[in-house]
Amino acid sequence: MSASPVSSNPILRVTLLAGGAVGLVVIVLATLIGWWAAGGEGAASGAIGAAVGMIFPALTAVSILVANRWFGSPAYLQIFFGVVLGGWLVKFILVIVAFLVLAQVEWLVDIVFYLSLVVAAVASLVVDLVVMSRMRLPGVSDITLPGE
């Protein structure tokens, strides 16, 4: 299906791998700090908040990687925007549903959940920025010049 690999794929893969590693560290730290602050309920709240904060940003990179599988297809742009925007819509709905469900959970320690969610989201953004600043991507890529 793909005529050639898309040059942004290695960046997205590194972002997912580095984000997963940082995510595991954040989940462990949020669990330990949650345990220290509020016992077992705090540990669970920290782990859930950190997981939510790491999983949802990763879904965008995953949707772009999935959409890039159709690179070279005549309908690539339509497929790309359909997959990415559809992924954002699904992610938006899942966030609302997750927060509505978690708001009903009585044992959830709100402050531990919220702080671990924010720390995980910021950590995800930092990973994205570091990977983007260190990876090399030409200003013009994935094109074929006339006569080549």
Side-chain angles (χ1 to χ4, degrees):
M1 210 179 289
S2 176
S4 66
V6 179
S7 60
S8 63
N9 282 355
I11 293 173
L12 293 168
R13 287 188 185 110
V14 170
T15 299
L16 285 173
L17 290 173
V22 169
L24 288 175
V25 170
V26 171
I27 289 171
V28 169
L29 288 175
T31 302
L32 292 173
I33 293 169
W35 180 269
W36 175 77
E41 294 173 347
S45 300
I48 292 169
V52 169
M54 294 306 290
I55 290 171
F56 281 100
L59 291 177
T60 301
V62 169
S63 69
I64 294 170
L65 283 171
V66 168
N68 280 344
R69 296 185 72 198
W70 281 273
F71 181 74
S73 166
Y76 170 67
L77 286 177
Q78 294 85 350
I79 293 170
F80 181 87
F81 285 113
V83 170
V84 173
L85 292 177
W88 283 344
L89 181 62
V90 168
K91 187 167 65 166
F92 181 72
I93 291 168
L94 286 175
V95 165
I96 291 172
V97 170
F99 286 154
L100 288 174
V101 168
L102 289 171
Q104 303 301 317
V105 176
E106 293 180 15
W107 54 263
L108 191 74
V109 181
D110 294 338
I111 190 69
V112 174
F113 173 80
Y114 174 74
L115 291 176
S116 62
L117 175 75
V118 170
V119 168
V122 169
S124 176
L125 289 172
V126 169
V127 166
D128 291 349
L129 288 172
V130 169
V131 169
M132 284 298 294
S133 70
R134 296 183 191 259
M135 298 289 286
R136 298 287 182 217
L137 182 65
V140 177
S141 62
D142 305 326
I143 63 166
T144 303
L145 295 175
E148 285 188 11

